[in-house]
Amino acid sequence: PISEAYVLVDNLNNVTIDLGGSDLFFANALNQGFNVSNCQNLGLSNFSIDYLTLPFTELRVKQVFPAADQIIAVPLRTFPTQPKYADVYQLQQSQPGANLYGFDFYADGRMNPSMARWNVLPLPGPSNVLTLEGVFNFASIKPGDIFEVEARGGGPAIWVQSSSLIQLQQLSIYSSGAVGIITNCCPFTSIENVKVIPRPRTNRLVSTNAGGIAVNSTAQDNIVRNCTISGTQDDCISGNAPAIGYVQLIELPSTFVLAEGNNDLVTQGLFGQNSQVYFVDPATGGFVVDGSGHTIMLTVAAAPQYSPTDKTLTVTVTSPTLPALPAQAMMYATDLATRGGGLI
């Protein structure tokens, strides 16, 4: 699902938002808590994020039917101050369009190490019978186990896009329909003393429905430090440095049209005129070389042009003759600032 945001922070510069230890409760975990974009030197600090409608439920396994890939499981009781766990049908009704996944825990709350993540088929109506897909070692599920079902989609709790010099400090994220924090192409950003954990003083076994902290389109000098991440249902910390784009068309004498163009690198000033580029063969993962075995390197002649309609990026280079390239060749900049240089 495409998520909306409860708090929009756009084009705000040289500001620190310190909420003094506030606990923020947003209604629906399919929506982002904070959406931060096009900001410079912005700080968010001293608050927690949780959702009133939890994007997961915890169930007690009553019976197991391996031949049918089914279990019978009923919601656990929660602490008096905690939102009640719903049955799976209510969960899917409250988070429409999200994918249902399940995890098995022993009765004492330890995760069953022989288990992976299953698809849980959507229920046609109220029922405690769950049908699981992609199951291996089904016999490891026992009556008395705790079976946690998440409705994964939307989110994250905090999304930061196309910004720089962002400081996220002294934050706690207790649930999210997807990732806790995502940054996307945000150079000079620090995430410090952040907790992505199950809410304290509850019987929750999980925190976010996906990862904890994702530093995507990893730009220059990003820091993740002194953070505590527990109970996430995907990567604790992840990141990626995608290609500038995939060569879709070569227009002689010197122009490339790139599919899935990464315009964030352009708007952040990390890729433009005089940048050097090279190419990777997506089939082999190796550098594209010339007839002498040398990596092909080209220099960008002018600022690339982005088309938001089809998300293409047009890059003109100074080379008078363009090399032969494999299909969907991936273009990268040599500058480490475009690929996570200085990451801590």
Side-chain angles (χ1 to χ4, degrees):
I2 298 175
S3 59
E4 299 178 349
Y6 288 103
V7 181
L8 298 174
V9 184
D10 187 43
N11 285 293
L12 192 61
N13 302 327
N14 305 314
V15 171
T16 296
I17 300 174
D18 185 328
L19 297 185
S22 298
D23 294 315
L24 306 182
F25 293 90
F26 298 116
N28 192 315
L30 287 178
N31 295 338
Q32 299 167 12
F34 283 77
N35 182 297
V36 178
S37 59
N38 306 303
C39 294
Q40 310 293 322
N41 192 25
L42 171 73
L44 298 178
S45 62
N46 291 317
F47 59 86
S48 71
I49 291 178
D50 204 350
Y51 287 85
L52 294 174
T53 301
L54 293 179
F56 63 89
T57 188
E58 294 181 7
L59 314 167
R60 182 72 70 186
V61 176
K62 295 297 185 181
Q63 290 181 273
V64 180
F65 304 99
D69 290 345
Q70 291 181 331
I71 61 174
I72 294 178
V74 299
L76 291 177
R77 291 184 178 180
T78 59
F79 294 177
T81 58
Q82 181 183 355
K84 292 183 177 181
Y85 293 129
D87 61 34
V88 174
Y89 179 72
Q90 291 172 310
L91 176 66
Q92 73 184 35
Q93 294 298 107
S94 69
Q95 312 288 322
N99 295 314
L100 298 179
Y101 299 113
F103 299 82
D104 187 56
F105 295 79
Y106 294 131
D108 61 6
R110 292 178 298 121
M111 193 169 192
N112 187 339
S114 65
M115 295 292 109
R117 180 176 68 195
W118 294 282
N119 294 324
V120 178
L121 296 183
L123 301 182
S127 173
N128 294 322
V129 179
L130 306 184
T131 302
L132 312 180
E133 281 188 324
V135 178
F136 68 95
N137 200 14
F138 201 110
S140 293
I141 304 177
K142 304 292 185 184
D145 284 0
I146 299 172
F147 197 78
E148 187 270 335
V149 177
E150 62 164 3
R152 178 168 170 169
I158 298 177
W159 169 269
V160 187
Q161 164 79 26
S162 301
S163 300
S164 64
L165 292 167
I166 304 299
Q167 303 92 43
L168 305 178
Q169 299 178 333
Q170 304 291 342
L171 305 177
S172 296
I173 296 174
Y174 298 133
S175 64
S176 167
V179 182
I181 295 173
I182 292 179
T183 66
N184 192 71
C185 198
C186 295
F188 310 108
T189 288
S190 63
I191 302 172
E192 301 188 70
N193 299 305
V194 167
K195 295 180 179 179
V196 182
I197 60 174
R199 188 174 188 87
R201 295 179 294 279
T202 68
N203 61 353
R204 300 184 194 178
L205 299 177
V206 298
S207 53
T208 61
N209 282 11
I213 297 172
V215 185
N216 291 337
S217 293
T218 314
Q220 183 177 2
D221 293 336
N222 285 183
I223 295 173
V224 179
R225 185 161 47 202
N226 294 332
C227 296
T228 301
I229 302 170
S230 175
T232 60
Q233 297 173 79
D234 211 311
D235 304 320
C236 287
I237 302 174
S238 65
N240 65 77
I244 296 165
Y246 300 81
V247 177
Q248 175 178 283
L249 177 66
I250 298 177
E251 298 178 344
L252 296 177
S254 57
T255 298
F256 295 94
V257 177
L258 306 179
E260 299 181 37
N262 190 345
N263 192 48
D264 290 323
L265 296 175
V266 179
T267 57
Q268 288 289 359
L270 301 177
F271 176 68
Q273 185 176 1
N274 297 323
S275 293
Q276 284 195 311
V277 298
Y278 65 96
F279 301 89
V280 169
D281 186 335
T284 66
F287 299 128
V288 178
V289 298
D290 60 21
S292 302
H294 298 120
T295 300
I296 293 172
M297 307 276 285
L298 303 175
T299 301
V300 177
Q305 299 300 308
Y306 182 70
S307 170
T309 303
D310 55 8
K311 297 183 179 179
T312 59
L313 199 64
T314 301
V315 180
T316 302
V317 297
T318 57
S319 172
T321 57
L322 298 182
L325 296 173
Q328 296 292 302
M330 304 160 68
M331 180 185 287
Y332 286 91
T334 61
D335 188 353
L336 290 177
T338 67
R339 296 183 285 119
L343 175 66
I344 298 175

